Amino acid sequence: MEVDKKDENESESSEQVVNPWEVSAKDGGKIDYDKLIDKFGCQRLDESLIDRVQRLTSRQPHVFLRRGVFFAHRDFNEILDAYEKGDKFYLYTGRGPSSEALHLGHLIPFMFTKYLQEAFKVPLVIQLTDDEKCMWKNLSVEESQRLARENAKDIIACGFDVTKTFIFSDFDYVGGAFYKNMVKVSKCVTLNKAMGIFGFSGEDHIGKLSFPPVQAVPSFPSSFPHLFPGKDNLRCLIPCAIDQDPYFRMTRDVAPRLGYSKPALIESSFFPALQGENGKMSASDPNSAIYVTDTAKDIKNKINKYAFSGGQDSVEKHRELGANLEVDIPVKYLSFFLEDDSELEHIKKEYGEGRMLTGEVKKKLTEVLTEMVERHRRSRAAVTDEMVDAFMAVRPLPSMFE
Amino acid sequence: MGFSKDQLLNRLQELEIDYTKYEHPPVLTVEAQAKYVSSSEGALSKNLFFKDKKHRYYIVSAMVDTKVDMKVLSQRLGLGKGGIRMAPEEALTQLLQVSLECVTPFAVVNESARDVSLLLDQNFKNQKRCIFHPLSNEVSVSLNTSGLDKFLKSIERDPVYVDLEANPAVGKDQPPDLAVYVPSNSVVIPEISNETSTKQTPPPKSVSAEVKPVASAKPSKPATKGKSVVVEKSTPLAFKNPEKFVEEIMDKTSALLLSEAKVENVEALAETLRKRLTSELTHLAIMYKNTAYTEGFHAGKHSQPKRL
């Protein structure tokens, strides 16, 4: 995440900061999601919407929905209304390829998007913002393109269907209809507005200023004439982490002026670092997260040594008081990745009331994560350069709604 | 056949590259070479030929006293700490078409070396002239780096000069600085590589002994059991080969069936199987589909138009 001048001002007012380049809680505490929803103006994803998803898709809602990982939205109910009437939509998500090493937090939006693709049977476009990373992280063009391709392999390994998925990198794809939309969007956003939304200043180079339209236009089907010819009214649903909201607030503001539908959003909370909510998950600290390249041994070690425990200091105290589930990382991680609701409830109850010890919970987490990472690694090994080429080829997807 | 020394020297002359030729008895080492070509003529070079675990090859040409640390180089290339080693002699003769003692930047003139990456010592640029073997260990030529560059450009190679002694930190936020010089294609040398070229084609009636461990060595464990996981080393053929695919499904299903055998009610058992296996098997099926599509995509790209 880029740290720009904005955070100097923010920390003075000790407010929490959430934008595409920085996420930090107030006074080193936890992110207040209610405040965030209020401030951004999006909606809470409530039970009734989740039930509706279950009815419409005839399958159990994804674990991230059930556990409130994806907790906020804009216009998701409208998407469901249209879907019920038989009007489909397409999915749009992306990744900024800043590093080769992906950790579990990075995979979350992709795991959820894969579920959405399968459950609703809709196509998906995935944007790799190699240009953004080239500009913000000062990578060379070649390096950012290389990272984009490497990240594409991990993304494909999440299990996307090649007959319904188009992956593109900005350096490869920007141009043509896509660029025309970029210009249309740019014309609708003044410099002042951009500086207000994104915190740009006179010191930032103009590349950064002109980037937001690149992330905005995949929300419009006319940006992909090879995929959605003649379907200008096709709606778009964007699963993303909530820190990306500013881009899409801008996009939703501009869309009606261009005669386009506003994209809908479904947003997730942040994945905590191993050291706890207050810790920062940092690419330079390998022990702050579980990486998809970690071995079973690494995972076991990291969880045992670094996962912040809400258990008490001594066994006796623990049996008496139980664990503090609010801050316990293993339980938090399990709530993300343990599929079985009743099993999770059981663990929370036993651990919270002191009958189960931290060691057991960590052991369970190690099992769950090891299986996940193993499965990912196996799939990743099957992704060849040719497969990446296939996903990234500008080709029609005739069975995209089947 | 590979370029000969004379062909190379003729090419240098055609390109009007200024060089000086020294003939001497065959030399096997830099020390021996130094006896016949004094350092006043130019800087002697040591030339190393490496390969990485994915069968990609590199020539590193450096000043004799430049320290070349293979571990550092490997990291800077993004190959991890022990990612490169000296290439075997067969690779030398097949790819570079020179003998063991005369690895040289000039070897990239051969078509067979088109995927070999060439990294040159930055320190060469400070020298008036540098000395390399022109594809023979009975001759040495000294030339200026601009001459070498001109030659490389004439065979459509971008000269790459690197500070070989630099040891920049390589981490999650600092990408390996030389990774961009890793060749995009790996090279198969017959007799050396045991299975993989970049396009993997599984033998249709595959040797079960070799492949079976891939499909069944990993005990499919239901989430509640705490068995240890076997790490797969080779690309799963279950995604390409229908028989292996079905075998994988049967393995997972029967493993789950056996572990849940204590459940008396058959309907409940069927329900459990469905619940536990659906997502995993769907994932398997998607990878299978993607692999098949990719093979079709490849075929489409390379298919020839109908002859009229």
Side-chain angles (χ1 to χ4, degrees), chain B residues 8-277:
Chain B
L8 175 68
L9 295 177
N10 279 337
R11 179 69 75 80
L12 293 181
Q13 282 170 359
E14 279 167 26
L15 292 168
E16 292 181 7
I17 292 173
D18 179 32
Y19 70 90
T20 313
K21 182 171 96 171
Y22 308 91
E23 289 178 353
H24 46 68
V27 290
L28 301 179
T29 61
V30 174
E31 291 73 27
Q33 190 185 27
K35 283 198 233 145
Y36 300 104
V37 187
S38 91
S39 54
S40 58
E41 316 292 351
L44 287 170
S45 63
K46 60 185 175 193
N47 296 274
L48 308 158
F49 188 43
F50 296 128
K51 89 181 259 271
D52 68 22
K53 292 181 179 165
K54 293 191 179 170
H55 307 287
R56 296 176 295 210
Y57 294 82
Y58 311 80
I59 297 178
V60 173
S61 183
M63 303 265 293
V64 174
D65 38 29
T66 298
K67 272 186 60 192
V68 176
D69 184 329
M70 281 170 71
K71 258 203 327 231
V72 169
L73 202 55
S74 176
Q75 271 191 303
R76 288 174 71 187
L77 286 165
L79 303 171
K81 281 214 180 101
I84 54 174
R85 54 192 62 186
M86 303 302 295
E89 192 169 344
E90 299 90 71
L92 227 137
T93 37
Q94 290 216 18
L95 292 184
L96 300 188
Q97 314 220 35
V98 295
S99 59
L100 199 48
E101 14 349 273
C102 58
V103 178
T104 163
F106 290 116
V108 300
V109 72
N110 287 307
E111 244 312 280
S112 52
R114 70 182 166 284
D115 289 320
V116 176
S117 181
L118 173 62
L119 301 174
L120 300 163
D121 189 344
Q122 199 164 275
N123 292 329
F124 281 145
K125 291 192 155 200
N126 307 332
Q127 305 300 315
K128 277 243 255 336
R129 293 164 98 77
C130 306
I131 300 177
F132 307 103
H133 283 304
L135 306 178
S136 155
N137 64 349
E138 295 175 332
V139 186
S140 299
V141 301
S142 81
L143 78 170
N144 186 276
T145 49
S146 56
L148 181 61
D149 290 350
K150 193 168 179 192
F151 171 74
L152 291 172
K153 292 202 182 118
S154 79
I155 50 171
E156 283 163 36
R157 278 238 179 199
D158 252 333
V160 175
Y161 290 89
V162 168
D163 178 1
L164 289 169
E165 288 185 322
N167 188 351
V170 173
K172 305 274 172 26
D173 240 351
Q174 303 98 336
D177 66 320
L178 299 180
V180 68
Y181 302 124
V182 170
S184 31
N185 293 321
S186 63
V187 190
V188 175
I189 313 272
E191 302 128 308
I192 298 184
S193 84
N194 40 20
E195 43 172 299
T196 48
S197 60
T198 43
K199 302 168 196 342
Q200 202 182 10
T201 38
K205 288 149 186 37
S206 49
V207 180
S208 341
E210 175 199 316
V211 178
K212 256 223 151 55
V214 173
S216 55
K218 175 173 144 94
S220 352
K221 48 183 187 73
T224 45
K225 303 278 183 198
K227 294 197 200 129
S228 64
V229 182
V230 174
V231 177
E232 313 250 67
K233 292 270 174 7
S234 48
T235 309
L237 279 171
F239 297 137
K240 284 183 102 127
N241 180 307
E243 282 167 2
K244 294 296 153 204
F245 178 60
V246 170
E247 201 178 311
E248 177 89 11
I249 295 177
M250 299 310 297
D251 284 343
K252 285 188 165 25
T253 312
S254 47
L256 189 54
L257 191 66
L258 290 171
S259 73
E260 296 288 313
K262 54 180 161 24
V263 173
E264 271 138 32
N265 183 337
V266 176
E267 278 89 17
L269 183 56
E271 209 28 59
T272 310
L273 278 182
R274 197 177 277 272
K275 201 169 97 163
R276 289 266 186 74
L277 282 181

Side-chain angles (χ1 to χ4, degrees), chain A residues 303-333:
Chain A
I303 293 178
N304 285 338
K305 273 174 82 171
Y306 301 104
F308 187 82
S309 168
Q312 301 300 339
D313 297 330
S314 69
V315 177
E316 297 77 34
K317 234 178 135 189
H318 184 86
R319 298 256 187 239
E320 193 197 319
L321 299 171
N324 180 353
L325 296 180
E326 277 302 302
V327 301
D328 185 272
I329 287 295
V331 160
K332 271 222 163 39
Y333 275 32

Side-chain angles (χ1 to χ4, degrees), chain A residues 314-363:
Chain A
S314 69
V315 177
E316 297 77 34
K317 234 178 135 189
H318 184 86
R319 298 256 187 239
E320 193 197 319
L321 299 171
N324 180 353
L325 296 180
E326 277 302 302
V327 301
D328 185 272
I329 287 295
V331 160
K332 271 222 163 39
Y333 275 32
L334 281 173
S335 73
F336 276 77
F337 298 119
L338 179 57
E339 283 278 342
D340 192 328
D341 287 337
S342 48
E343 204 182 336
L344 180 68
E345 275 318 299
H346 175 79
I347 292 177
K348 277 172 140 175
K349 187 156 190 288
E350 297 298 292
Y351 189 47
E353 292 175 13
R355 285 184 294 279
M356 195 183 277
L357 298 177
T358 301
E360 273 181 77
V361 181
K362 284 193 173 183
K363 183 154 168 271

Side-chain angles (χ1 to χ4, degrees), chain A residues 160-162 283 378 386 395, chain B residues 172 232 289-290 293 298:
Chain A
F160 292 106
D161 185 333
V162 69
R378 221 180 141 216
E386 195 110 54
R395 72 215 186 274
Chain B
K172 305 274 172 26
E232 313 250 67
K289 181 179 181 184
N290 288 348
Y293 182 103
H298 176 85

Side-chain angles (χ1 to χ4, degrees), chain A residues 15-179:
Chain A
E15 275 278 313
Q16 64 185 12
V17 176
V18 177
N19 65 48
W21 303 286
E22 192 199 336
V23 174
S24 60
K26 182 173 155 174
D27 296 328
K30 281 171 59 166
I31 299 279
D32 185 338
Y33 287 106
D34 285 315
K35 249 195 172 157
L36 200 53
I37 291 185
D38 255 348
K39 181 165 173 211
F40 282 176
C42 41
Q43 254 87 39
R44 270 251 173 218
L45 241 178
D46 57 31
E47 280 297 319
S48 64
L49 269 178
I50 300 178
D51 288 336
R52 212 172 155 200
V53 168
Q54 171 145 27
R55 273 200 319 274
L56 283 173
T57 57
S58 315
R59 62 166 78 192
Q60 194 191 30
H62 192 268
V63 62
F64 291 161
L65 277 174
R66 298 189 327 257
R67 309 277 169 76
V69 173
F70 276 81
F71 72 108
H73 76 95
R74 290 182 189 276
D75 290 350
F76 186 46
N77 50 323
E78 285 184 27
I79 292 275
L80 294 180
D81 289 340
Y83 190 76
E84 223 162 7
K85 294 204 194 80
D87 290 331
K88 304 273 193 169
F89 59 93
Y90 74 101
L91 294 162
Y92 155 41
T93 192
R95 161 144 176 96
S98 55
S99 65
E100 201 151 353
L102 282 169
H103 54 62
L104 295 181
H106 292 134
L107 290 187
I108 286 176
F110 293 108
M111 291 162 72
F112 189 62
T113 305
K114 177 203 143 125
Y115 150 77
L116 289 172
Q117 180 176 67
E118 267 177 28
F120 287 96
K121 305 206 187 328
V122 288
L124 161 67
V125 303
I126 301 180
Q127 178 182 47
L128 296 169
T129 57
D130 40 8
D131 52 347
E132 182 206 358
K133 291 309 169 187
C134 176
M135 289 194 275
W136 262 269
K137 297 274 175 172
N138 198 19
L139 300 172
S140 72
V141 170
E142 291 79 18
E143 184 59 11
S144 51
Q145 284 186 292
R146 188 188 72 84
L147 288 175
R149 273 187 79 93
E150 283 307 306
N151 284 180
K153 291 182 185 165
D154 279 294
I155 292 172
I156 292 172
C158 291
F160 292 106
D161 185 333
V162 69
T163 62
K164 298 176 167 168
T165 308
F166 174 54
I167 302 181
F168 65 100
S169 93
D170 290 339
F171 277 132
D172 284 340
Y173 190 66
V174 170
F178 193 90
Y179 183 59

